[in-house]
Amino acid sequence: LNEGLLFLEPRVDKIVLVTHFLPYAGLLEPTGEPRHDFVLAHAGSSKFGRIIDGYSKVTRVISGHIHKPIFKKLRGDELVFQSSPIGYPKEITSALFQHVRERVCVVNV
């Protein structure tokens, strides 16, 4: 990650970083539900977060892995973190088309 960002930063104005897993620890809040809270141990990396925060041109981070939509501003308003998963079929509580419309999004950079 660090080598890729070192290569890109002098060549671009903005960087959108996409990862499968959560790149920051603490993005998910504990719920008190044991199965959910167990997953929190694998739900973010403080090391990746520190690396990302070292590059001011990273303005948006998009990740998957979790099945909960998250939108948070980090580093003040400089960095947006976003996760907008479709999830597993058993997790869909509305009509499929409506669910997909709510989760698919356009990212403007």
Side-chain angles (χ1 to χ4, degrees), residues 62-96:
I62 301 168
S63 83
H65 191 64
I66 58 163
H67 294 223
K68 175 184 177 182
I70 297 175
F71 183 91
K72 288 190 177 186
K73 291 187 177 183
L74 307 170
R75 295 192 321 224
D77 285 345
E78 294 176 15
L79 175 65
V80 171
F81 169 79
Q82 184 171 354
S83 176
S84 190
I86 301 295
Y88 293 123
K90 67 181 179 181
E91 297 170 327
I92 297 172
T93 58
S94 59
L96 179 60

Side-chain angles (χ1 to χ4, degrees), residues 8-94:
L8 283 176
E9 192 163 55
R11 294 168 171 79
V12 298
D13 294 327
K14 292 181 181 180
I15 298 171
V16 175
L17 180 66
V18 180
T19 66
H20 172 74
F21 53 88
L22 294 174
Y24 285 94
L27 287 169
L28 291 177
E29 303 292 328
T31 64
E33 197 275 305
R35 289 186 334 169
H36 174 271
D37 292 349
F38 173 77
V39 172
L40 293 181
H42 310 283
S45 168
S46 57
K47 184 176 181 179
F48 263 49
R50 282 192 305 275
I51 291 171
I52 293 166
D53 286 343
Y55 294 90
S56 61
K57 289 186 180 179
V58 177
T59 58
R60 184 172 296 258
V61 178
I62 301 168
S63 83
H65 191 64
I66 58 163
H67 294 223
K68 175 184 177 182
I70 297 175
F71 183 91
K72 288 190 177 186
K73 291 187 177 183
L74 307 170
R75 295 192 321 224
D77 285 345
E78 294 176 15
L79 175 65
V80 171
F81 169 79
Q82 184 171 354
S83 176
S84 190
I86 301 295
Y88 293 123
K90 67 181 179 181
E91 297 170 327
I92 297 172
T93 58
S94 59

